[in-house]
């Protein structure tokens, strides 16, 4: 698992939580899984410009709770909550279930891998130079406080006849270290020559250090106490 492309799958159940949190029997599982996919596709298709890196879904007996992580919460909420009510009604029509939408702001979008990949894809669609785009993305991410970043582009780069892969990285990306918080993002740039895949890995630091100083191991922990010296006999 340490050699898989997506580091999230390696950490689910250990450091990362599941993106969909519900239980169903064998008869209903496939339908609910497709429903989750439709909800995510609909939201990303309509509010892709709002910077939504992650959509979490929880199901109770009564309702479906959709947790939107967004860099621009005001766009989704709208004036006096009009936009979010509209989205809620559209999702209820789509699924036929009662929907509850919760918004959580992404406080540091500059080190969020999905948002970085979407920004790179947008630049490529505007016919920007892919090497310049990669370099700018790496520098901005490291300036934002990331420990390391890696970008990989695949496709007909620069409009060439043959598709190829090009990438670059700065800092450290320890993909096999479970305690390292590695964020992953993937987007596609729809250019005139074809689609270009954009993969981004960002090392956001250490899970254990981010939990707080209370959970950090004590500096003296694990040290064997020294035995008191016995007084010499005279």
């Amino acid at each position: 698992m340490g050699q898989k492309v997506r580091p999230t799958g390696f950490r689910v159940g250990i450091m990362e939580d599941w993106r969909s949190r519900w239980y169903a029997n064998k008869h209903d599982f496939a339908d609910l899984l497709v429903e989750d996919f439709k909800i995510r596709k609909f939201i990303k298709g309509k509010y892709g410009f709002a910077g939504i890196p992650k959509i979490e879904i929880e199901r109770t007996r009564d309702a479906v709770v959709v947790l939107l992580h967004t860099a621009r919460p005001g766009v989704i909420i709208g004036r006096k909550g009009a936009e979010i009510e509209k989205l809620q009604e559209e999702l209820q029509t789509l699924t036929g279930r009662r929907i509850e939408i919760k918004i959580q702001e992404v406080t540091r979008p500059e080190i969020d891998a999905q948002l970085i990949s979407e920004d790179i894809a947008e630049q490529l669609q505007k016919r920007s130079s892919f090497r310049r785009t990669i370099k700018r993305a790496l520098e901005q991410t490291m300036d934002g406080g990331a420990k390391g970043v890696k970008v990989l582009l695949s496709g007909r780069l620069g409009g060439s006849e043959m598709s190829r892969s090009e990438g670059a990285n700065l800092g450290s990306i320890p993909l096999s270290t479970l305690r390292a918080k590695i964020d992953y993002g993937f987007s596609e740039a729809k250019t005139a020559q074809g689609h270009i895949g954009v993969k981004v890995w960002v090392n956001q630091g250490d899970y254990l250090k981010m939990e707080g100083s209370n959970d950090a191991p004590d500096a003296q922990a694990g040290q064997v106490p020294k035995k008191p010296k016995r007084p010499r006999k005279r």
Side-chain angles (χ1 to χ4, degrees):
M1 283 299 293
Q3 296 179 7
K4 296 288 181 287
V5 169
R6 191 183 181 102
T8 315
F10 190 38
R11 290 162 175 78
V12 165
I14 302 165
M15 292 296 185
E16 286 270 340
D17 201 2
W18 299 92
R19 302 288 167 91
S20 291
R21 294 183 287 274
W22 44 266
Y23 178 80
N25 56 38
K26 287 184 179 180
H27 180 70
D28 299 325
F29 186 88
D31 294 334
L32 295 179
L33 194 66
V34 172
E35 197 174 281
D36 280 10
F37 175 76
K38 285 180 180 176
I39 290 170
R40 288 190 171 96
K41 188 178 179 182
F42 181 83
I43 294 171
K44 288 290 286 184
K46 188 166 184 180
Y47 293 99
F49 57 89
I52 303 174
K54 187 165 65 172
I55 299 169
E56 294 180 290
I57 297 173
E58 293 181 0
R59 293 178 185 272
T60 62
R61 188 173 294 177
D62 304 321
V64 179
V65 181
V66 180
L67 178 60
L68 298 181
H69 296 256
T70 174
R72 300 168 66 189
V75 174
I76 296 174
I77 295 169
R79 188 173 293 176
K80 296 181 180 178
E83 275 297 320
I84 199 168
E85 286 178 9
K86 186 182 174 186
L87 175 61
Q88 191 169 335
E89 289 172 6
E90 287 171 340
L91 288 177
Q92 284 177 167
T93 306
L94 179 71
T95 60
R97 304 175 193 274
R98 191 164 70 84
I99 302 287
E100 290 180 17
I101 298 176
K102 295 180 181 178
I103 305 291
Q104 186 167 329
E105 186 178 0
V106 177
T107 53
R108 299 177 70 190
E110 62 276 1
I111 62 166
D112 192 288
Q114 183 62 35
L115 296 180
I116 294 165
S117 70
E118 288 175 7
D119 181 53
I120 293 171
E122 190 180 334
Q123 294 298 318
L124 293 175
Q125 284 175 184
K126 292 178 180 176
R127 299 174 179 271
S128 178
S129 167
F130 68 91
R131 285 195 181 91
R132 198 182 303 121
T133 304
I134 291 175
K135 187 180 178 184
R136 186 177 67 89
L138 293 177
E139 289 172 354
Q140 283 183 348
T141 308
M142 292 301 286
D143 290 344
K147 303 292 183 185
V149 57
K150 177 182 172 185
V151 177
L152 182 66
L153 305 184
S154 300
R156 292 182 62 184
L157 301 174
S160 61
E161 290 294 320
M162 290 286 286
S163 63
R164 66 184 195 276
S165 297
E166 282 215 22
N169 59 289
L170 278 176
S172 65
I173 305 286
L175 295 177
S176 297
T177 308
L178 285 171
R179 61 185 283 175
K181 189 174 184 182
I182 309 293
D183 195 21
Y184 173 77
F186 172 77
S187 296
E188 284 188 4
K190 300 175 178 65
T191 64
Q193 291 76 26
H195 286 206
I196 295 174
V198 182
K199 294 176 182 176
V200 177
W201 295 260
V202 176
N203 180 6
Q204 296 181 348
D206 201 304
Y207 277 106
L208 302 182
K209 288 179 183 176
M210 294 170 79
E211 285 175 3
S213 58
N214 294 334
D215 298 328
D218 188 14
Q220 301 296 324
Q223 291 187 7
V224 179
K226 294 180 180 179
K227 293 181 180 179
K229 292 181 179 180
R230 293 179 180 178
R232 290 182 180 179
K233 290 181 180 180
R234 290 184 180 179

